[in-house]
């Protein structure tokens, strides 16, 4: 699951990513992108904003990013998870984010 919300500092967005049912010990780069799965329009912020997600012994992991952009109020966004730092080309999970509720 992934969610975006206004950050603590003005002009920032906090993004939380949670991953489950995956191989323990894995390290997965991830990021929010503009567009939808299969129609990538670029990263929301910079790849450096998104620390890799590390999977624990129970097969779950989470990561949090602070992006130096205002939280979007409309538009299409998705989260993409890559296989590993050495294999950015292989996407292992992709999910479209729901539209904001406010």
């Amino acid at each position: 699951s992934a969610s975006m919300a206004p950050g603590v500092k003005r002009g920032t967005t906090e993004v939380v990513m949670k991953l489950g049912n995956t191989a323990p010990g894995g390290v997965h780069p991830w990021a929010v992108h503009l567009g939808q799965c299969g129609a990538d329009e670029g990263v929301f912020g910079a790849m450096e904003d998104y620390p890799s997600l590390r999977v624990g012994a129970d097969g779950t992991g989470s990561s949090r990013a602070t992006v130096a952009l205002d939280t979007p109020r409309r538009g299409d966004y998705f989260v993409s998870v890559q296989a590993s730092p050495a294999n950015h080309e292989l996407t292992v999970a992709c999910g479209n984010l729901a539209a904001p509720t406010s």
Side-chain angles (χ1 to χ4, degrees):
S1 68
S3 63
M4 294 193 309
V8 174
K9 289 185 179 181
R10 185 180 185 113
T12 65
T13 300
E14 295 292 323
V15 184
V16 176
M17 173 68 188
K18 296 179 182 178
L19 190 64
N21 196 28
T22 190
V27 177
H28 300 282
W30 67 281
V32 170
H33 295 251
L34 289 74
Q36 293 192 340
C37 292
D40 191 348
E41 298 174 25
V43 174
F44 177 72
M47 278 304 299
E48 297 78 32
D49 294 335
Y50 298 91
S52 290
L53 184 145
R54 298 184 182 280
V55 180
D58 65 353
T60 67
S62 65
S63 186
R64 179 180 301 269
T66 301
V67 179
L69 293 171
D70 286 325
T71 305
R73 299 202 179 274
R74 61 182 160 271
D76 294 325
Y77 297 87
F78 69 96
V79 64
S80 178
V81 180
Q82 277 56 59
S84 71
N87 192 355
H88 279 274
E89 292 77 35
L90 180 60
T91 299
V92 295
C94 186
N96 295 321
L97 297 178
T101 56
S102 58

